[in-house]
Amino acid sequence: MNPELYKRARVVFLAACDLDAGARDAFLDESCGDDIALRGAVDLLLCGDDSPVHLTHRAEMSGQIDDILFSGTRDGEAEIPAQIGEFRIIRKIGEGGMGSVYEAEQLSPRRTVALKMIRPDMRGHEIVRRFRREIDLLGQLEHPGIARIFHAGTVTSEGGPRPYFTMELIVGKTLIAYVKALDVGHRERIELFAAICDAVHYAHMRGVVHRDIKPGNILVKESGRPVILDFGVARATRSDIKATTMTVNAQQIIGTLAYMSPEQASGLAEGIDARSDVYALGVVLFELLVGQLPYSLDGKSIADAALAIRDDEPTRLSRINRALRGDLETIVFKAMEKDPERRYDSAAALAQDLRRYLADEPIIARPPSAIYEISKFAKRNRALVGTGVGATILLIALTIFALTKASLATESQRVAEVEADRAKSTVSFLSDVLASADPNRSKGNEATVRGVLDEAADRIERGQFAEHPVTLAQLHMTIGRSYLAVGEYDTARSHLERALELNLDSLGRNHVAYADSLD
């Protein structure tokens, strides 16, 4: 929750918390209007005020939430009901962020269904009306990869009507549990995931966005067919916050937040569209391939976790498993681009690129350019770039740009690809080195040009460039010139002489790079 949204939500919350249920709903409808993000934030605060859930706020005077801790049950239901509406309850089969799920028997027509009872705080006549309208829309989705919604209703409980809906009962394992239990291979996982994308695209083409895609909402039948649950129900209940399973303690965040797109995590309801689902699909694919999430959210508050999703770069697949380097990594990270405009524009486009990868065909996605990666690094480290280190980064960017441009202009396509790969490796190496000057990673020590250069100089010969002497020479040239700029003449000389030696051995006396280093 961003600070401005929290300030607005807190004003409404304080005015609403002393009202009875009927008056509160009317007050919230009038105060929040169509502002879904504000209503969700207020409902989150009211949930902690009304329910047995333990909710702790530790807020600074500025009104920013620093921590929100949940423990205990979400529904507050002591017993399993014998009957809900016309449905006889057989057993409880699960519980999530929106409520409890039961296996139930419908008398007419006679069939076994899954019945989801929405949480007690999601009630009120306006919410129920909106909920039933959306469920009617979702009931029109007919796809073998989407659990069919049959019926929506309400039951009267203390405080007002409480909505529920029934859907097709899917017998199977959750996505991650399925691939682990059957030890599904790398290729089969991608094929399975492409089928999930097909189902998501079907719903998108009918104007329905899921908003809560995660492995727990995807079951795989014994036949191997994946089926997506709760499609669009997050929208039906008005709030992504309500649809999440944010079980948070001092060490861990579990739930939907980890799969939210940056625009969702920031509370920007107006920016949520099909590409938000594409982002969530990218996170699910990441976890499906390597068994972990792209961000480490352990120990973070909800606000800090949301900021990490919005601003931090995800772990690269190839750092976890080098076999995933290349096209597959490019596909995953295009799906997970922070800017929606740079993502796949549809789940179908993501599925098509995955199938191209499986067929050894050229993929549509392309890795980001070296200059784009440098610009992203600069945005993440504005304070660092504002110091003299910015000159170093600029020199590096110009060097890499020149290398890549020259290779594309004068060499064959194969050589150009090799050079581009070397340039990307250079960016990765230098980004790691320069990140050591980030105060958040250097325990508050002040970043200096000399410190960054020393770190780079220490690591350069131990880096991944031993087999690429031309690239290594360019790095020595850049670092040498940077030492020269700060008056470290002896150190600069050693690096420039090393560049001269490398260029002479690799390119000969007649090459322009040798002449440049000699100069």
Side-chain angles (χ1 to χ4, degrees):
M1 190 184 302
N2 63 59
E4 184 59 33
L5 177 61
Y6 173 68
K7 290 178 184 178
R8 294 166 54 211
R10 189 170 182 273
V11 172
V12 179
F13 162 72
L14 291 175
C17 60
D18 291 330
L19 300 176
D20 60 41
R24 177 183 293 176
D25 286 338
F27 172 76
L28 293 178
D29 287 340
E30 180 180 353
S31 300
C32 299
D34 294 328
D35 191 333
I36 297 175
L38 176 61
R39 182 62 179 262
V42 175
D43 285 339
L44 177 62
L45 298 177
L46 289 170
C47 175
D49 187 62
D50 287 347
S51 71
V53 178
H54 175 62
L55 181 65
T56 301
H57 298 284
R58 189 180 70 222
E60 298 178 358
M61 294 302 291
S62 63
Q64 297 186 26
I65 291 180
D66 185 57
D67 228 341
I68 301 178
L69 306 179
F70 291 100
S71 62
T73 61
R74 302 298 298 266
D75 262 23
E77 293 176 341
E79 298 179 355
I80 297 176
Q83 186 161 331
I84 297 176
E86 62 179 285
F87 300 89
R88 182 177 67 86
I89 303 303
I90 300 173
R91 65 189 178 97
K92 187 174 183 177
I93 57 178
E95 189 168 346
M98 285 185 298
S100 297
V101 186
Y102 304 96
E103 181 181 347
E105 181 183 37
Q106 184 176 4
L107 301 180
S108 179
R110 185 170 293 277
R111 59 186 172 189
T112 303
V113 300
L115 184 149
K116 175 162 282 192
M117 174 67 77
I118 304 303
R119 276 171 37 195
D121 58 299
M122 298 184 191
R123 58 191 174 195
H125 296 290
E126 174 60 24
I127 292 179
V128 170
R129 184 185 65 81
R130 185 187 298 265
F131 173 82
R132 298 196 67 163
R133 186 177 69 235
E134 295 293 345
I135 290 294
D136 287 343
L137 172 64
L138 299 174
Q140 299 175 25
L141 298 180
E142 295 188 26
H143 188 279
I146 298 175
R148 178 79 184 274
I149 290 179
F150 295 133
H151 172 82
T154 56
V155 293
T156 302
S157 62
E158 184 178 352
R162 188 172 171 191
Y164 69 89
F165 67 95
T166 62
M167 61 184 174
E168 177 185 1
L169 180 65
I170 306 298
V171 178
K173 298 180 184 297
T174 61
L175 178 62
I176 300 301
Y178 175 83
V179 298
K180 287 183 177 179
L182 277 68
D183 194 21
V184 177
H186 172 88
R187 185 179 185 87
E188 289 73 20
R189 293 186 187 207
I190 298 174
E191 292 172 343
L192 181 68
F193 184 80
I196 295 169
C197 292
D198 293 339
V200 173
H201 181 65
Y202 166 87
H204 287 173
M205 293 300 291
R206 284 150 185 81
V208 180
V209 178
H210 193 293
R211 300 162 67 109
D212 194 24
I213 293 175
K214 57 186 176 183
N217 272 341
I218 303 170
L219 295 182
V220 184
K221 296 181 175 181
E222 290 185 359
S223 64
R225 176 179 289 279
V227 179
I228 305 172
L229 310 180
D230 290 355
F231 217 115
V233 174
R235 183 179 72 175
T237 54
R238 291 187 72 160
S239 171
D240 291 325
I241 294 293
K242 292 176 180 177
T244 63
T245 312
M246 289 186 181
T247 303
V248 187
N249 56 40
Q251 284 78 38
Q252 190 175 27
I253 289 180
I254 304 171
T256 301
L257 182 62
Y259 301 91
M260 277 188 181
S261 65
E263 58 271 22
Q264 273 181 292
S266 299
L268 302 176
E270 67 277 6
I272 297 173
D273 57 23
R275 294 170 299 181
S276 296
D277 279 354
V278 170
Y279 179 93
L281 285 169
V283 178
V284 172
L285 179 56
F286 187 106
E287 185 176 7
L288 190 64
L289 293 172
V290 297
Q292 69 181 63
L293 291 166
Y295 299 98
S296 176
L297 303 181
D298 291 356
K300 295 182 182 294
S301 68
I302 291 178
D304 287 341
L307 287 175
I309 292 170
R310 190 191 70 182
D311 297 334
D312 293 354
E313 289 303 306
T315 304
R316 301 206 69 83
L317 282 173
S318 55
R319 289 189 179 180
I320 303 169
N321 183 349
R322 289 192 62 82
L324 301 179
R325 182 182 182 185
D327 283 354
L328 189 56
E329 184 173 59
T330 299
I331 291 171
V332 172
F333 281 90
K334 182 173 179 62
M336 289 178 55
E337 281 281 1
K338 295 187 185 297
D339 181 357
E341 296 295 332
R342 294 182 59 86
R343 292 177 207 151
Y344 289 103
D345 58 8
S346 69
L350 171 57
Q352 289 168 4
D353 243 6
L354 288 170
R355 290 179 173 125
R356 290 188 188 97
Y357 167 80
L358 292 174
D360 293 322
E361 297 175 355
I363 64 171
I364 299 301
R366 288 290 176 265
S369 67
I371 296 300
Y372 178 70
E373 296 229 14
I374 288 287
S375 69
K376 288 203 298 182
F377 178 86
K379 288 180 181 178
R380 294 196 306 272
N381 299 273
R382 286 185 174 91
L384 175 63
V385 175
T387 69
V389 180
T392 306
I393 297 175
L394 181 60
L395 283 172
I396 293 167
L398 292 173
T399 299
I400 295 170
F401 178 74
L403 279 173
T404 306
K405 185 176 180 180
S407 67
L408 291 173
T410 60
E411 300 291 337
S412 66
Q413 181 63 31
R414 184 187 65 80
V415 174
E417 290 175 355
V418 170
E419 292 300 320
D421 186 60
R422 290 178 186 174
K424 191 170 183 179
S425 297
T426 307
V427 171
S428 177
F429 168 77
L430 290 169
S431 294
D432 287 343
V433 171
L434 292 172
S436 67
D438 185 345
N440 293 324
R441 297 180 58 177
S442 58
K443 300 180 180 180
N445 295 331
E446 183 181 358
T448 65
V449 176
R450 176 60 190 267
V452 174
L453 291 175
D454 289 346
E455 174 73 12
D458 182 59
R459 294 178 56 181
I460 189 171
E461 291 286 355
R462 297 185 285 109
Q464 62 267 52
F465 306 105
E467 298 179 1
H468 306 296
V470 175
T471 302
L472 187 59
Q474 289 288 348
L475 290 172
H476 275 292
M477 283 283 290
T478 300
I479 291 174
R481 286 169 174 164
S482 298
Y483 271 120
L484 193 64
V486 297
E488 297 290 340
Y489 302 116
D490 291 339
T491 308
R493 182 184 182 92
S494 65
H495 284 281
L496 295 174
E497 288 179 344
R498 176 63 174 148
L500 181 67
E501 176 186 346
L502 288 166
N503 281 327
L504 178 61
D505 292 343
S506 303
L507 304 173
R509 295 180 180 275
N510 294 325
H511 197 280
V512 65
Y514 173 74
D516 185 40
S517 57
L518 186 63
D519 178 63

